Amino acid sequence: MGLHIESFSLGPLQTNAYLLKGSEEGKAIIIDPGMNPAALIKRIADLEIEAILLTHAHFDHMGGVDEIRKLKQCPVYLHTLESEWLDNAKLNGSTRWPQVTGPLTTDPAEFDLADGLELNLIGETFTVYHTPGHSPGSVSFLCGEHLFSGDVLFRLGVGRTDLPGGRERDLIHSIQHTLYSFPDEVTVYPGHGPRTSIGYEKQRNPYVPEGT
Ligand SMILES: [Zn+2]
Ligand SMILES: [Zn+2]
């Protein structure tokens, strides 16, 4: 069967939220429900949401968590290194751009993510890869040949590293040693912008030097 993927561009920063369905009828998970999730909420009316997975805790990726978690009673998964960010508006960045949003907070995540963890959800297996650099607890999720890369790797771009806990050296290392170790045909679904593939980025991404 495989994964069925729908994307929603949410909020003022056009953050990609992904609604995923697998082999279990009527169930879905959401990766990164961003701000102003009305379109997504409308779409999930008849679905059981098994989990909300966060690639990291920046406000533009977690802005819709509170509303969806309350509506669907679903648990949230986030890397341990950002476990204090959801209820801290300074850490999640929402106090930094007052012209974009007021402070955003929600309760802490129910489950901690760590590198190598395998999550069995919606009848599929998602492997967690710790890919720090854009933020300390950034993770990527791999399910078959689908990679959800958050703000680590974009089509012809990479995540910024000037926010708290960001580090360029870590970001490049995460891409070269973790993401680029996946087969060329793996499709990459980033946190912003269009999808791409590992092979395409390996050949053309101008921000990632070759080799180590
Ligand atoms: Zn981010
Ligand atoms: Zn983002």
Side-chain angles (χ1 to χ4, degrees):
M1 264 237 34
L3 210 55
H4 180 265
I5 302 166
E6 281 177 72
S7 65
F8 298 79
S9 175
L10 301 180
L13 302 185
Q14 301 196 302
T15 306
N16 291 328
Y18 295 101
L19 176 65
L20 311 181
K21 285 184 264 179
S23 55
E24 285 179 13
E25 192 75 16
K27 289 187 181 181
I29 63 170
I30 297 168
I31 297 181
D32 290 353
M35 298 165 64
N36 312 337
L40 176 59
I41 285 176
K42 203 171 158 193
R43 188 67 191 77
I44 62 176
D46 297 327
L47 292 170
E48 179 192 333
I49 301 301
E50 244 192 304
I52 294 173
L53 306 185
L54 296 178
T55 59
H56 63 301
H58 281 153
F59 71 98
D60 59 314
H61 296 253
M62 57 64 87
V65 164
D66 205 42
E67 217 177 322
I68 293 170
R69 175 156 55 176
K70 281 181 181 141
L71 185 72
K72 293 292 188 177
Q73 306 288 323
C74 51
V76 174
Y77 294 65
L78 175 66
H79 192 276
T80 328
L81 287 175
E82 293 176 19
S83 53
E84 274 149 39
W85 289 32
L86 291 182
D87 58 356
N88 184 322
K90 200 164 182 260
L91 287 171
N92 68 41
S94 56
T95 55
R96 197 181 168 109
W97 288 279
Q99 72 283 12
V100 172
T101 177
L104 282 171
T105 56
T106 185
D107 292 336
E110 279 77 10
F111 294 107
D112 287 337
L113 295 175
D115 190 57
L117 204 66
E118 293 200 338
L119 305 171
N120 294 308
L121 299 162
I122 59 171
E124 310 293 329
T125 302
F126 294 83
T127 307
V128 177
Y129 291 89
H130 184 213
T131 47
H134 169 66
S135 70
S138 277
V139 297
S140 301
F141 300 102
L142 184 70
C143 177
E145 293 201 328
H146 308 284
L147 178 76
F148 300 89
S149 65
D151 285 357
V152 177
L153 180 65
F154 302 121
R155 184 176 183 276
L156 301 178
V158 297
R160 57 192 287 173
T161 52
D162 60 332
L163 297 173
R167 201 158 171 250
E168 191 180 351
R169 204 181 345 145
D170 291 347
L171 181 83
I172 298 302
H173 188 272
S174 292
I175 296 171
Q176 284 178 333
H177 294 271
T178 304
L179 302 189
Y180 281 7
S181 73
F182 301 136
D184 283 357
E185 43 301 347
V186 166
T187 304
V188 179
Y189 301 82
H192 302 269
R195 61 190 62 173
T196 181
S197 72
I198 292 295
Y200 186 89
E201 295 311 312
K202 264 190 192 168
Q203 289 223 323
R204 293 169 216 236
N205 194 304
Y207 301 96
V208 186
E210 269 179 59
T212 97

